[in-house]
Amino acid sequence: MRVREVDVCAVLASATKVLQCGGTLLYPTDTIWGIGCDGCNAEAVEQLYRIKRRDHTKPMLVLATAAMLSEQMPAPVRQLLLAEGRPTTAIVPLRWLGVDVAANLLAEDGSIGVRVPRHFFCRQLAERLGHPIVSSSANLSGHPSPRCYDDVEAAVLEAVDFCVPPVPAW
């Protein structure tokens, strides 16, 4: 299959608008294909749980920019999140994130998983949205995580509000 060229700015603008309106998104991440929503929108978070058929006791992480990390975050944790190399998720107290998120994203102990993405699309999307983006693998709970767009299950593709096109530009 030949992939057509995509206007990256237009895709980012469309994806940002979907998130701002409370929608859900299928998109490429640092590691696999993911689904996400605005991390401050509790209704959108609920929709992700429904799409994934996931138990609420299994929290999801958020993608944040360096600017969203709190000054309270200890330097070693900040350095770990900002270091080059493999994407790293840190489970931290919400106060270390530095911005509020929907309460239904937090673990029972009030912690949250945070990742500062290296992936171009994810970084740009978080910057444009201005607050954290929920990120979870684009699969039904218990099913394999999709390494590429073609691995995403039809049930997930049909349930999200916007699919980022699978192009080499990402």
Side-chain angles (χ1 to χ4, degrees):
M1 176 174 114
R2 197 161 179 194
V3 179
R4 68 184 195 284
E5 286 193 28
V6 171
D7 181 341
V8 174
C9 290
V11 172
L12 278 163
S14 295
T16 302
K17 181 145 181 88
V18 166
L19 295 179
Q20 290 169 333
C21 292
T24 56
L25 182 70
L26 172 76
Y27 60 100
T29 72
D30 290 309
T31 54
I32 57 175
W33 275 77
I35 58 173
C37 66
D38 178 346
C40 295
N41 186 324
E43 290 178 23
V45 173
E46 282 301 316
Q47 180 62 14
L48 279 189
Y49 276 108
R50 283 191 294 275
I51 290 170
K52 289 185 64 70
R53 302 174 192 160
R54 185 175 175 139
D55 184 337
H56 283 69
T57 62
K58 297 179 179 179
M60 293 182 268
L61 66 91
V62 294
L63 302 178
T65 65
M68 293 175 198
L69 304 179
S70 169
E71 295 295 322
Q72 295 179 28
M73 182 177 282
V77 178
R78 178 183 294 274
Q79 289 168 354
L80 182 68
L81 287 172
L82 299 177
E84 292 299 317
R86 287 192 56 94
T88 302
T89 300
I91 309 300
V92 301
L94 180 59
R95 70 180 181 279
W96 289 3
L97 181 55
V99 294
D100 284 330
V101 296
N104 53 347
L105 273 177
L106 301 177
E108 281 186 24
D109 66 359
S111 64
I112 188 160
V114 177
R115 178 181 293 170
V116 176
R118 285 139 185 89
H119 192 280
F120 169 80
F121 185 82
C122 295
R123 278 194 335 261
Q124 292 296 311
L125 189 61
E127 286 177 13
R128 287 172 181 239
L129 184 61
H131 38 85
I133 300 167
V134 177
S135 188
S136 185
S137 55
N139 61 306
L140 301 178
S141 187
H143 292 211
S145 297
R147 296 206 173 275
C148 65
Y149 181 88
D150 290 338
D151 293 342
V152 179
E153 297 169 86
V156 174
L157 288 169
E158 293 165 8
V160 296
D161 297 305
F162 184 79
C163 295
V164 172
V167 296
W170 313 131

